Amino acid sequence: MNQLEKEPKIASELTTLKQLLAHHSVVQDFQKIQRRALDNPKLQALEEAIKQAQKDMVQYDHYQKPEAYQAARHTYETLTKEYDAHPIVVAYRGTLQEADELLHYVTSEIQKQMNINIQEEDQHASED
């Protein structure tokens, strides 16, 4: 637990913020698509095939087998293109970007407000 979380008011506000974010439509859409992606057997199979192709590339490169390396590379590139074009992956990346933008916005607004509060405190301290 970090120092800020030990403060009851801050911990309470943090809990509230987490709940608000968890119920935001952007976050809920992201979580729904994420579950669909994680539960999709075709995507899981593609991920495993991509990992295997990567391993094959490393192995063939290590043992200096350029033809086998090129074949594994071609397989890797084909599988990666198929994976990247899958509708669930496309939707996942879109909702991930939206969720990231939401979190960036919230973080920026908190930072702005904190800076304003600090400047006001500095002004009041210099007036005293």
Side-chain angles (χ1 to χ4, degrees):
M1 178 180 289
N2 74 34
Q3 188 64 30
L4 291 177
E5 291 175 337
K6 292 179 183 177
E7 295 289 329
K9 177 132 173 78
I10 293 173
S12 172
E13 295 295 330
L14 181 60
T15 300
T16 301
L17 179 59
K18 286 178 182 178
Q19 289 172 349
L20 288 170
L21 286 172
H23 291 92
H24 194 282
S25 63
V26 168
V27 174
Q28 288 184 342
D29 289 347
F30 167 74
Q31 290 174 334
K32 186 179 2 171
I33 295 291
Q34 183 182 38
R35 279 191 298 277
R36 285 181 56 204
L38 292 173
D39 293 341
N40 187 292
K42 179 171 172 101
L43 287 178
Q44 290 173 355
L46 275 171
E47 288 171 1
E48 288 303 315
I50 289 169
K51 288 177 189 176
Q52 186 58 51
Q54 288 173 324
K55 289 177 185 177
D56 291 346
M57 287 169 51
V58 170
Q59 185 177 17
Y60 295 142
D61 187 48
H62 176 74
Y63 290 110
Q64 299 176 354
K65 298 188 175 204
E67 295 85 17
Y69 172 83
Q70 288 301 327
R73 181 177 172 194
H74 177 72
T75 300
Y76 168 79
E77 290 172 353
T78 301
L79 292 170
T80 301
K81 285 179 186 176
E82 182 181 350
Y83 183 85
D84 289 343
H86 193 285
I88 293 176
V89 172
V90 172
Y92 172 82
R93 289 182 177 154
T95 59
L96 176 62
Q97 183 174 357
E98 290 174 6
D100 182 58
E101 288 171 0
L102 173 64
L103 293 176
H104 181 72
Y105 172 76
V106 169
T107 302
S108 295
E109 290 302 309
I110 291 170
Q111 186 176 18
K112 285 178 194 174
Q113 190 60 48
M114 291 298 297
N115 288 339
I116 290 169
N117 291 346
I118 290 169
Q119 288 174 351
E120 288 175 357
E121 285 180 14
D122 287 346
Q123 283 179 340
H124 292 304
S126 65
E127 290 172 0
D128 292 337

